[in-house]
Amino acid sequence: MRLGTVLRYIGIILLVVAAFMLLSAGVSYYYDFDGAYTPMLMSSLLTLLLGFFPLIFVPRPDYISQKEGYCIVVGAWLASSFVGMFPYLMWGGEFSFINAWFESVSGFTTTGASILNNIEGLPKGLLFWRMCTCWIGGVGVVMFALILLPSIGKSKMMLSNMELSSLARDNFNYRTLTVVKIVLSIYIGMTLLATLLLKVGGMGWFDALCHGMSACSTCGFSTRNLSVAFYDSVTIELILAVFMCLAGIHFGLIYATLTGKRNNIFRSEITRFYFATIGVATILISVSLWLADIYPNIFASFRAGFFHTISCITTTGLVTADCNTWSSMAILVLMFLMFICACAGSTSGGLKIDRLLLAFKMLRNRLRQQQHPGAVFRTKVDGIPQNKEMLDTVLIYTVAFLIMIFAGAFVNMFLGSDLMTGFSSALACASNVGPGFGDVGTMDNYSETPVLMKVNLSMLMLLGRLEIFGLLQLFFIRWWK
C-alpha cells in the first residue's frame, strides 16, 4: 500500500472542508465580523495548508487499490473530524479539546449529539460551521470531492464504492459520475426547497437554511437551545417532518420517482415497509401518550408522536418535547426506531430498515423450510432474489451492530453511567441519532458525561457512520499484508 497516495487523496478532501470553512467565515463577515470570523478564517487557511502539502510532494497515481480506497475513505472521515475541531478550539467557550472533538465527530457523522449548553450564544459563523459539518457528512466528504474535483479521474469508481454500502448501491444502475451527480442534485435540491418552505413557514433566512441543512442531512443540530420546540409551530414541524422523511429514503428511488422511472418510491417494497413502520409507530406512541395523560388531547399527542417518530427513525434527532417524561411504551417504541432507522442510500444512519426487512423474510423462509424440508425458498425484495452473500452480510452486520451497542453501553456503565443513560447514549450514538434518554435526553446534552465516555461515544459515532467494518479494517494488522 502506498501511504503517499492515501495522503494525497485525503489532502484533496481536506480542500473541500477548507472551502466550507471559508464559506462560514463569509457568513461571519456578513454578520458584521462576528466572533467566529477570525477562528473560521484561520481554520480554513490551516486546513488548506494541510490539504495542499501532500499534493505538492506526491504525484498523481494511475490507480488506487482496494486497500488504499478503504484507507482514503476512513482517513478522510478521521481527518475531516480532526480539522473540524479547529474553529471550536480557536473560538474557545465550552470547547475543550475533547468537547471540540466530540462536537466535530457528531457533526460529520450526522449524529447531532452536542456538548453545548448555550447554542444561541455561539456567533452565526460558528453556528453555520456546525451545520456545514453535518451537511458535508450527510452524503459523505468523499462524495463532495468526487464531483468537485474531477482530477480524481479513474479512481472515482473505487472511492464511490468504498463510500456507498452494498445495500445503497442496489438502486443506482448508473455510471459512477452519474451516481454522484444524482445524489448531490437531490441533496442540494431538497435543502434549498426545505429552506424556502421554512422561511415561508415563519423562520428567518439564517435559521431556515440551518434547519434545512440539518433536516436533509438527518443530523439534528439546531440554532436554538430548545431545538424545534422553540418555534412551537405546527407548520414548521410538518415541513421538517416531510423533509426528514424524504431524507430517509434511498436517493436513487427519489430520483427514479421524479424522472418517472418504474422502480420508484411507490413500487419499492422497502419504502412501503418504511412508511408502514412510521404509521404503526406513530399510532402506538400517540395512543400511549394520550392514555397516559401526557398531553391534553389526541391531537397534541399525535403531533408530538408523529414528529418524534420521524425524527428517530431517520436518525435526525430534532425535538419538540422532553421525551424523558413520556410513557414507558412510547420510550420503548422510540428506542426500537433508533435501532432500525431508515433506508440504505439515504443520509440516515443505524442498522437500516432494508436489513430488518431482509431479516424478517429470512425468518419466514426458515419457518417454511422446517415445514417443507424438500422445498427451495428464495429471499426476494421487489421480486428480485437476493444472493447468499448478501444475506450472510446482513446477518453478520446485524450481529456486529448489536455487539457494538451492548459493548458501548457496557463501557458507559463501567464509567459510572446509569442503565438508561448508558444504554440509550450508546444506541443513539451508534445509530447516529443524537439525543437519548436519561441524562442525555431530548432537552439535555452530553456536556456532563465523563471525558472517557465522550471518547467511547465518539468511537461509536464513527463506527456507526462507517458501518463498523470500514473503520475496523484499520485495526487488523494482518489485513495489510
Side-chain angles (χ1 to χ4, degrees):
M1 188 193 72
R2 298 163 297 176
L3 180 60
T5 297
V6 173
L7 293 177
R8 176 184 172 85
Y9 282 105
I10 292 175
I12 291 174
I13 291 162
L14 288 182
L15 296 181
V16 177
V17 178
F20 278 93
M21 288 180 174
L22 192 60
L23 180 62
S24 300
V27 172
S28 291
Y29 173 81
Y30 179 80
Y31 284 98
D32 299 322
F33 293 96
D34 66 22
Y37 178 75
T38 300
M40 291 309 316
L41 186 61
M42 295 300 295
S43 297
S44 66
L45 292 175
L46 181 56
T47 304
L48 193 69
L49 288 174
L50 291 174
F52 264 125
F53 188 75
L55 297 182
I56 297 172
F57 297 100
V58 181
R60 175 182 170 183
D62 295 328
Y63 72 96
I64 57 173
S65 66
Q66 187 176 30
K67 290 181 181 179
E68 290 164 351
Y70 272 115
C71 291
I72 290 167
V73 171
V74 175
W77 284 97
L78 295 175
S80 297
S81 297
F82 178 75
V83 300
M85 296 191 301
F86 294 168
Y88 301 137
L89 290 173
M90 291 183 187
W91 186 75
E94 297 181 68
F95 293 111
S96 62
F97 181 87
I98 190 61
N99 282 351
W101 167 254
F102 186 91
E103 198 80 10
S104 180
V105 171
S106 180
F108 279 107
T109 59
T110 71
T111 303
S114 181
I115 54 84
L116 291 169
N117 290 298
N118 184 20
I119 297 172
E120 295 173 26
L122 266 62
K124 289 288 197 299
L126 203 60
L127 283 173
F128 188 73
W129 169 242
R130 287 177 81 234
M131 297 304 169
C132 284
T133 61
C134 68
W135 199 69
I136 296 169
V139 291
V141 290
V142 177
M143 295 294 277
F144 274 101
L146 291 178
I147 192 66
L148 295 177
L149 300 168
S151 62
I152 291 178
K154 295 180 181 179
S155 301
K156 286 185 177 182
M157 176 66 76
M158 175 65 71
L159 291 179
S160 65
N161 286 342
M162 296 296 109
E163 184 75 294
L164 292 171
S165 70
S166 57
L167 284 173
R169 291 194 296 269
D170 286 348
N171 285 302
F172 283 127
N173 299 315
Y174 307 96
R175 298 178 61 182
T176 301
L177 184 57
T178 305
V179 169
V180 175
K181 286 181 177 179
I182 288 172
V183 169
L184 289 182
S185 296
I186 295 293
Y187 192 49
I188 294 170
M190 284 174 51
T191 304
L192 293 177
L193 183 57
T195 301
L196 178 61
L197 291 177
L198 287 170
K199 170 59 179 175
V200 173
M203 284 188 179
W205 277 115
F206 182 79
D207 279 7
L209 175 58
C210 288
H211 283 87
M213 295 168 73
S214 183
C216 292
S217 65
T218 62
C219 175
F221 277 161
S222 176
T223 57
R224 302 295 177 177
N225 294 330
L226 296 178
S227 189
V228 183
F230 171 85
Y231 301 97
D232 192 22
S233 167
V234 175
T235 302
I236 288 175
E237 291 169 25
L238 182 60
I239 293 169
L240 289 171
V242 168
F243 282 94
M244 287 189 292
C245 188
L246 287 174
I249 299 173
H250 195 294
F251 280 18
L253 288 175
I254 295 177
Y255 177 77
T257 305
L258 293 174
T259 54
K261 298 283 193 300
R262 180 177 178 82
N263 181 31
N264 54 45
I265 290 173
F266 307 104
R267 291 179 177 271
S268 170
E269 191 175 356
I270 292 170
T271 52
R272 291 200 303 269
F273 185 55
Y274 169 61
F275 290 135
T277 303
I278 290 174
V280 172
T282 298
I283 292 171
L284 288 174
I285 293 174
S286 301
V287 172
S288 174
L289 295 177
W290 181 50
L291 293 177
D293 290 326
I294 305 295
Y295 292 95
N297 53 58
I298 189 64
F299 172 76
S301 299
F302 178 82
R303 175 183 170 184
F306 176 68
F307 186 87
H308 281 264
T309 292
I310 293 180
S311 185
C312 273
I313 197 171
T314 60
T315 73
T316 308
L318 290 172
V319 300
T320 62
D322 184 359
C323 294
N324 277 334
T325 64
W326 285 11
S327 65
S328 298
M329 179 65 181
I331 291 174
L332 181 62
V333 174
L334 288 177
M335 292 184 76
F336 174 72
L337 296 175
M338 290 164 64
F339 175 74
I340 61 171
C341 305
C343 309
S346 67
T347 58
S348 72
L351 181 66
K352 304 292 192 302
I353 206 164
D354 310 54
R355 293 188 177 96
L356 182 67
L357 178 61
L358 283 169
F360 282 155
K361 286 177 174 287
M362 284 187 279
L363 176 61
R364 182 193 62 187
N365 285 346
R366 179 60 180 169
L367 293 174
R368 294 168 68 189
Q369 188 75 56
Q370 289 182 326
Q371 296 169 354
H372 308 282
V376 176
F377 299 100
R378 300 294 301 274
T379 302
K380 300 179 181 180
V381 175
D382 293 328
I384 301 173
Q386 304 297 302
N387 59 51
K388 187 177 185 301
E389 182 181 359
M390 170 64 78
L391 299 179
D392 288 344
T393 302
V394 167
L395 291 176
I396 292 170
Y397 185 83
T398 302
V399 172
F401 192 72
L402 286 169
I403 292 173
M404 175 178 65
I405 292 171
F406 282 100
F410 174 82
V411 172
N412 287 344
M413 286 179 272
F414 180 79
L415 294 172
S417 175
D418 62 85
L419 178 60
M420 178 60 83
T421 302
F423 181 78
S424 68
S425 61
L427 175 59
C429 290
S431 293
N432 305 131
V433 176
F437 299 96
D439 295 339
V440 293
T442 52
M443 290 299 168
D444 299 295
N445 55 57
Y446 288 77
S447 61
E448 298 301 319
T449 55
V451 169
L452 291 179
M453 187 170 166
K454 289 174 184 171
V455 173
N456 178 49
L457 294 175
S458 299
M459 180 62 70
L460 290 175
M461 293 180 207
L462 288 166
L463 284 168
R465 182 60 180 84
L466 292 168
E467 297 208 330
I468 304 175
F469 298 110
L471 185 58
L472 287 182
Q473 296 275 16
L474 296 179
F475 298 97
F476 289 90
I477 304 300
R478 293 181 62 184
W479 183 76
W480 300 100
K481 297 180 180 179

